[in-house]
Amino acid sequence: MLHRQRRRSLLAVVAATTLAATGVVATAGAAQAAAGCRVSYAVGSQWPGGFSTTVTLTNVGDPLTSWRLTWSFGAGQTVTQAWNATVTQSGSAVTATNVSFNGNLATNASTAFGFNGTWNNSSNPAPTSFAVNGVTCTGGTNPTTPGNPTTPGNPTTPPPTTPPPTTPPPTGSWPTPTGQVGVDGTIPVSGVFDGGMRRYCCIGDGSQEESQDPMFQLAAGATLQNVIIGGPAGDGVHCAGSCTLRNVWWEDVGEDAATFRGSGSPVFLVDGGGARSASDKVFQHNGAGTLTVQNFQATNFGTFYRSCGNCSTQYKRTVVIRDSTLTRPGNTVAGINVNYGDTARFSGITIVNDPSRAMVICRKYNGNNTGSEPTQVGTGADGTNCLYSSSDLTYR
């Protein structure tokens, strides 16, 4: 029996503000630097008394080593929990600071964080102004001006030089469910399904049996967002074609967190969220197309991404993994089939608890369509199939 959930109406409010303004530097006469940023503030879902928002910060100025984003709410909203940033609030004033894995922002680089909040059920306007590291923004890039000449060497607003102390994301950034929804069968999704950060549980027996049903079955073009999947989770999420998984969290992965299918040129996006305890795989790519995983975190897994090595129908597959944190125990970030022309591209990857560099970033196989075990033929960057350099990886 299929258990269908009534989807709450989705409110999409996006406020994009670009900022660049006059600031200060450490000493009078120092070389000028350019400061600038762009902020997207998107309320992805709203329900009585609560809402969920994604904030994307783009640095259009000189590179940053840490950031502090500030804004003020205009209608009494409050932040109740956040992920991928440390967020504090005093009255209407809100401050979001980077966590340890997303403080460095090169020119034109972006990072995203999310939060849940409360509102008055009457008005939930987006903030009208943002500032980064104390510099209010305008839209482009301007050179900063020297500091107060009467106090050389002392900026009026010292820029932060190191990221603030934070709890590592796998243990400190997991959201708390806003409620619980019992699941007694696969939930079909077409269009947008917004869970309002409730926990959906449970289905299957928690084993690695491939015959288990998924908890969510997404039609081509569907979006699943703001969902916490409890365990056992069966075979997680199935996408029949292009799909988006936004801010989806797996507390205890069963067989796989998500499986991506479809022929032609489907495009799959996983943006935000996290997964724990995947003894086999987190993401399984059985169909064609391109999967992008960004702003994600995972811990205690076998393989983070696997292009199917022995599916009866094989394709050239592409995966892009960026701005994500992977914590050991974990064996492999991506496994691809080089004989079918697969490519895996990595950037902004943070590896935690791996002092011996044991986690394999890219494992290469010769796949087949007979159901036999694929043959491993190598590991590591090669400029053709496994695309990354040492600068794309950070170990801590």
Side-chain angles (χ1 to χ4, degrees), residues 56-95:
T56 302
L57 168 64
T58 301
N59 174 35
V60 299
D62 285 347
L64 298 174
T65 58
S66 64
W67 50 265
R68 185 181 72 257
L69 181 67
T70 56
W71 71 88
S72 292
F73 283 127
Q77 302 100 317
T78 60
V79 175
T80 57
Q81 61 184 161
W83 48 95
N84 295 337
T86 300
V87 180
T88 59
Q89 184 169 354
S90 177
S92 63
V94 182
T95 300

Side-chain angles (χ1 to χ4, degrees), residues 20 30 43 59 61 77-78 82 94-95 128 149 159 183 242 250 267 269 276 312 325 337 358:
V43 178
N59 174 35
Q77 302 100 317
T78 60
V94 182
T95 300
T128 58
V183 177
S242 297
W250 288 262
V267 176
L269 173 64
R276 297 187 286 207
S312 58
T325 298
N337 306 313

Side-chain angles (χ1 to χ4, degrees), residues 20-21 25 31-37 59-64 107 135 140-145:
V25 293
Q32 292 187 338
C37 70
N59 174 35
V60 299
D62 285 347
L64 298 174
T107 302
V135 178
T141 56
N142 289 331
T144 59
T145 56

Side-chain angles (χ1 to χ4, degrees), residues 116-364:
N116 291 332
T118 64
W119 66 300
N120 59 17
N121 292 325
S122 176
S123 177
N124 187 16
T128 58
S129 178
F130 293 88
V132 172
N133 294 347
V135 178
T136 306
C137 307
T138 62
T141 56
N142 289 331
T144 59
T145 56
N148 188 338
T150 64
T151 55
N154 293 305
T156 56
T157 307
T161 57
T162 58
T166 59
T167 302
T171 57
S173 299
W174 284 76
T176 300
T178 60
Q180 179 96 1
V181 178
V183 177
D184 58 10
T186 299
I187 302 171
V189 177
S190 59
V192 177
F193 183 103
D194 194 298
M197 296 308 295
R198 289 167 295 180
R199 176 191 284 120
Y200 288 76
C201 188
C202 299
I203 189 171
D205 57 11
S207 72
Q208 292 297 312
E209 292 297 324
E210 303 216 355
S211 59
Q212 294 185 85
D213 292 330
M215 184 175 292
F216 292 94
Q217 175 72 56
L218 274 62
T223 294
L224 179 69
Q225 63 187 27
N226 300 321
V227 168
I228 299 173
I229 297 178
D235 200 24
V237 177
H238 283 187
C239 287
S242 297
C243 71
T244 298
L245 308 181
R246 180 172 289 113
N247 196 31
V248 177
W249 302 79
W250 288 262
E251 293 182 329
D252 189 345
V253 175
E255 185 179 340
D256 299 316
T259 301
F260 303 94
R261 298 172 173 167
S263 58
S265 301
V267 176
F268 311 101
L269 173 64
V270 177
D271 188 3
R276 297 187 286 207
S277 302
S279 58
D280 190 9
K281 301 176 295 294
V282 179
F283 298 121
Q284 174 73 31
H285 196 170
N286 291 349
T290 299
L291 168 64
T292 299
V293 182
Q294 61 189 28
N295 306 312
F296 198 84
Q297 56 183 269
T299 184
N300 191 13
F301 57 90
T303 297
F304 183 68
Y305 165 89
R306 182 66 171 101
S307 171
C308 183
N310 55 10
C311 286
S312 58
T313 301
Q314 288 286 21
Y315 305 92
K316 176 186 182 297
R317 304 181 180 100
T318 299
V319 64
V320 177
I321 304 172
R322 60 194 181 201
D323 300 328
S324 295
T325 298
L326 308 177
T327 301
R328 291 202 75 202
N331 181 275
T332 303
V333 181
I336 62 173
N337 306 313
V338 294
N339 59 317
Y340 293 120
D342 290 356
T343 60
R345 185 178 298 274
F346 310 83
S347 63
I349 307 299
T350 299
I351 308 294
V352 182
N353 296 338
D354 190 14
S356 63
R357 309 295 194 262
M359 188 182 297
V360 175
I361 304 302
C362 191
R363 198 179 295 273
K364 292 172 273 193

